[in-house]
Structures are given as C-alpha cells and as structure tokens.
Amino acid sequence: MENYASKPIMFILLTLVSFIQFVFILRFLFEIMRVNFYNPVSQIIVKITDPILKPMRVIPLYIGRVDIIIILIATSITALKIYIPYSFSSFEFSLNSLVLISFGKFLDEALTILWWSVIIGAVGSWFMSYTKHPLFSLIDELCEPLYIPIRRILPATAGIDFSPIILLVFINLTQMILIPPIFHLARIL
C-alpha cells in the first residue's frame, strides 16, 4: 500500500507527533524538576500543553511530584508515533506490546532529553555572554537538582565541575539498565 504520496504524508505526521511528544516530555521534566514557570520558554510549553492537560485534570492523579496524566498522554502520543509508520502496511501490534513499547520509548526519550540538556548546559557554561538567555537558565534549573547529590559526594575541585560528566554516565547507565527489560517484556507479550 506504500506509494509515492504516503512517504511525505508519513513524514509530516511523524514530525507533528514528534513535536507534540517533545513538548509533553518537556512539561513532564519541568514539573518533576520544579523549574521556574515564569521563564518564557516554560510559559510557551505550558501554553501548548494546557489545552490538553486541563480537561484531563478533572481528577488529579499525582504520585509525589509525578503527574500521571502527563505520563499517560506522552505515552499515548509515543504510541501514535510508533504506530504511524506501520499504519500504511499490514503489520499489526498487540495493544499490550504497543503500550509497553511506548512507555519504554517515552522513558528513553525523556532520558535522552536530559542527556542533551546536560551537554548544552555544560557547553553553554563556557560562554558567559549566553548564560543570561532564558533557555540556558531553564537548562540550569532542569539539571541542577540532578547535580546536587553528585556534588555532595564528589570532593571539591579547583574550578572544574565533574558533576555533568558523572550525570551523563548515570543517564546512559539508566538507559542501558532500565529500557531493554521493558522492550523485552513487550516482545514476550
């Protein structure tokens, strides 16, 4: 069923769905890390996600700082992102496998966004003129709660902060340990 018109349509759909997924993952990370919601970048994310989140928050579902509604929406959007390329073919998913794969992919992409935030924050810290930009202050607020426990353990060094390097290793280890069992479980179902 794949023809010359289906690839551009699939590309546009995947791009839109990926953008929406990225925005919801950012909203999830912003709420967990308690970033400043008066930041202009945070306000853009809130304005994009609120029309979908507000009607769904009739019954608040929180576990500590974790908003379960955002996780459910982001997992659903991830499922749509996974399903779109296969919708033009005869490949079929079981619903259980699709939900598990989507949740695993959601966690993987959230950790990847954190990984890139650490990289951007570390590179941005080398340039003093850019540290006043709202994006860099947002990245600092996103990563700082993760740096604090590492800085407590590491001894103080003269001018070199090793906490981003340790955090990058920890994020990669988390992805290697946490994500494959989820995908393996989805394959069994």
Side-chain angles (χ1 to χ4, degrees):
M1 172 139 185
E2 199 170 303
N3 60 24
Y4 71 94
S6 66
K7 287 186 179 184
I9 292 170
M10 192 179 333
F11 171 74
I12 291 170
L13 284 173
L14 281 174
T15 303
L16 288 172
V17 170
S18 295
F19 174 74
I20 294 167
Q21 177 201 26
F22 178 72
V23 169
F24 273 97
I25 290 173
L26 283 180
R27 176 74 183 254
F28 170 71
L29 292 173
F30 289 174
E31 287 193 9
I32 286 182
M33 301 300 175
R34 295 188 182 184
V35 300
N36 180 6
F37 279 96
Y38 292 109
N39 185 307
V41 179
S42 296
Q43 288 181 355
I44 291 170
I45 299 298
V46 169
K47 285 179 184 175
I48 292 172
T49 56
D50 264 355
I52 298 170
L53 284 175
K54 279 189 179 180
M56 302 203 62
R57 285 190 172 153
V58 174
I59 301 171
L61 295 172
Y62 288 94
I63 299 175
R65 290 188 206 175
V66 179
D67 186 0
I68 303 300
I69 297 293
I70 294 177
I71 293 174
L72 292 174
I73 292 172
T75 302
S76 300
I77 294 169
T78 306
L80 185 62
K81 181 180 171 183
I82 292 169
Y83 183 74
I84 285 173
Y86 298 106
S87 64
F88 291 99
S89 66
S90 61
F91 188 78
E92 292 185 18
F93 285 100
S94 75
L95 185 61
N96 295 337
S97 295
L98 184 61
V99 169
L100 272 175
I101 290 170
S102 301
F103 181 69
K105 191 69 176 159
F106 160 72
L107 289 177
D108 185 47
E109 291 186 12
L111 289 169
T112 301
I113 290 171
L114 275 177
W115 192 88
W116 281 107
S117 298
V118 172
I119 295 289
I120 293 168
V123 171
S125 69
W126 299 341
F127 307 104
M128 294 303 285
S129 61
Y130 294 108
T131 57
K132 298 298 179 195
H133 192 277
L135 183 62
F136 284 108
S137 65
L138 185 68
I139 288 173
D140 286 341
E141 290 177 23
L142 191 62
C143 296
E144 194 62 34
L146 301 172
Y147 292 152
I148 291 172
I150 297 169
R151 289 180 181 148
R152 285 185 194 144
I153 297 170
L154 287 179
T157 56
I160 299 175
D161 187 11
F162 289 107
S163 57
I165 296 168
I166 304 296
L167 182 57
L168 289 174
V169 169
F170 182 73
I171 290 171
N172 279 339
L173 283 174
T174 304
Q175 282 179 312
M176 288 179 206
I177 294 169
L178 186 66
I179 306 302
I182 295 173
F183 289 152
H184 179 70
L185 182 63
R187 199 175 1 207
I188 293 172
L189 296 176

